[in-house]
Each structure stands twice: as structure tokens, then as C-alpha cells.
Amino acid sequence: GQQVMQIPQYQHVQEGEDFTTYCNSSTTLSNIQWYKQRPGGHPVFLIQLVKSGEVKKQKRLTFQFGEAKKNSSLHITATQTTDVGTYFCAANTGNQFYFGTGTSLTVIP
Amino acid sequence: NAGVTQTPKFRILKIGQSMTLQCAQDMNHNYMYWYRQDPGMGLKLIYYSVGAGITDKGEVPNGYNVSRSTTEDFPLRLELAAPSQTSVYFCASTRGQGILETQYFGPGTRLLVL
């Protein structure tokens, strides 16, 4: 099956610092999706990237899809305590979704 | 719309017991999925269904069974619970097939097998 690796596994930042998580695949992806899971909650869809080199922004969040469509990143500028949670990337093959292991973000006030 | 609902929220089982995790969606979605999430890990696909009467195995199907008699419901059955099945189980659905589809998740069922 599709292998999607995600780093780092954990990240602690001071409130106001930036945060980045990376998603990597050994094969070319048709798309990449990002989900956020709050502690004790369920994954919630954030965004989808489809085109090579695509960049999308949601307020302080910036999502990128690599030129070769094998990697992606999520960058949060000036983190806030509301950003706490685990961020997952996922590759959608049409029938199945393959999730990365996630990056758990802790924001220290 | 309630979206995707799951019951129970939490359950403790003894080794060898059986149980059914319920999942329902009211969005008329064709595709439904069952995942398990172990602590600090990502989501692993157990089974999925592309429509009523059609199910297929995911990455980790051993020890589980599913059925899809209606579009709305997709129950997951554990026949002989084992400690390795201690996990959080999420049900999800999508409208259809295709790379532009996104998943809607239920709130999860936390299962502890002792």
C-alpha cells in the first residue's frame, strides 16, 4: 500500500513561534490532504492540494505541494494555543486514504 | 444533519468477548470506512465499503468483520476481543470515489480490552 511518512512526530513551540510539518512519499501522489485532530477529538479536513507546486493559504496556515508531487508541508505562522493538536497528511488513491503518522503540536503559552 | 455518528463512545471488553461498533451517516454518502488509531500513531484502514452490499479489506482487517446492508449504516464486528485491539476506532464517509473527495469522521469509539 501507499507509504506516507511524516516528520517530526512531536513539536513543542512557544506561542508566537512558527511551526512546520513535512509529509513525504516515495511515489508520486495524485493529491495530498491535510487533517487536524484536536486532543480527544476526531480528524477534521483542512485542505487538499492537487497540482504540482501548489500553494494554498488559510489565514496563518500555508500548505505546499512539491514540484514532483512526492512531498508536502504545512507551515503555521505565529502559533496560537488554538493550534494545539495533531496534524495529519493523507494521500487519496480514489478508493482508499493513506494517512501519515501525524505531527503532534504543543503550544506553550 | 448529524453527519457521522458512532456508538458507543467508550467500552471495556474482556479478552474473548465480542461486540459491534455502530456507525451511521445521514449524508447519503456511498463510501464508508473504518479506521483504528493507536496512541501516537496515524490512522490504519480496517475495512471500507463502496456501497450497500459491497465491502473490502483495508490494511489491518484481521480480527474484524463488517457488513453494509444499507447506505446509512456500517457496523464493525469484533468476534474475539484481544488486547491488541485496544484502540480508538473512527468511522468515516465520503460522498463518492475520486481524488477530490474528502472524509467526514465520526467522534470515535474508545475500546479497552483487558
Side-chain angles (χ1 to χ4, degrees):
Chain A
Q2 183 74 55
Q3 294 281 346
V4 180
M5 308 302 294
Q6 198 170 347
I7 56 170
Q9 188 173 4
Y10 302 98
Q11 186 82 59
H12 293 71
V13 299
Q14 290 287 141
E15 189 173 15
E17 290 182 340
D18 292 356
F19 159 78
T20 305
T21 174
Y22 301 90
C23 188
N24 297 291
S25 170
S26 58
T27 60
T28 302
L29 303 171
S30 56
N31 65 54
I32 196 81
Q33 299 181 348
W34 286 93
Y35 291 77
K36 177 182 179 181
Q37 183 178 24
R38 295 184 185 275
H42 60 276
V44 175
F45 173 78
L46 292 177
I47 209 159
Q48 174 166 257
L49 305 170
V50 179
K51 299 176 183 177
S52 169
E54 189 169 14
V55 178
K56 288 188 177 180
K57 292 190 176 183
Q58 288 181 349
K59 298 183 180 179
R60 295 178 293 102
L61 278 61
T62 301
F63 304 84
Q64 291 190 335
F65 202 9
E67 293 290 342
K69 300 182 74 173
K70 290 184 176 182
N71 56 71
S72 179
S73 65
L74 159 58
H75 180 82
I76 302 178
T77 304
T79 55
Q80 299 175 359
T81 54
T82 53
D83 296 324
V84 165
T86 301
Y87 293 84
F88 292 98
C89 61
N92 176 6
T93 64
N95 253 1
Q96 297 190 29
F97 292 75
Y98 294 91
F99 283 80
T101 48
T103 296
S104 176
L105 172 64
T106 300
V107 179
I108 304 164
Chain B
N1 285 355
V4 180
T5 58
Q6 291 183 240
T7 56
K9 290 184 179 179
F10 179 68
R11 182 76 181 268
I12 299 175
L13 281 182
K14 293 182 179 179
I15 295 173
Q17 285 185 321
S18 61
M19 77 166 292
T20 299
L21 283 68
Q22 301 292 345
C23 174
Q25 52 88 13
D26 62 358
M27 298 176 283
N28 202 30
H29 283 178
N30 289 314
Y31 280 56
M32 296 186 74
Y33 309 80
W34 272 107
Y35 294 91
R36 59 176 288 171
Q37 183 178 34
D38 299 328
M41 301 295 287
L43 295 143
K44 296 292 186 182
L45 182 65
I46 305 171
Y47 271 95
Y48 68 100
S49 169
V50 304
I54 306 170
T55 62
D56 210 343
K57 296 178 180 179
E59 291 181 79
V60 290
N62 291 344
Y64 307 94
N65 277 301
V66 294
S67 60
R68 184 95 182 270
S69 57
T70 66
T71 299
E72 294 78 18
D73 300 298
F74 190 39
L76 177 71
R77 179 82 177 163
L78 282 71
E79 289 294 349
L80 292 169
S84 61
Q85 293 178 305
T86 293
S87 190
V88 180
Y89 292 83
F90 289 103
C91 179
S93 72
T94 61
R95 180 183 53 190
Q97 180 186 11
I99 65 170
L100 297 181
E101 294 293 335
T102 62
Q103 293 198 310
Y104 297 83
F105 283 85
T109 294
R110 282 160 175 73
L111 177 64
L112 178 61
V113 182
L114 299 174

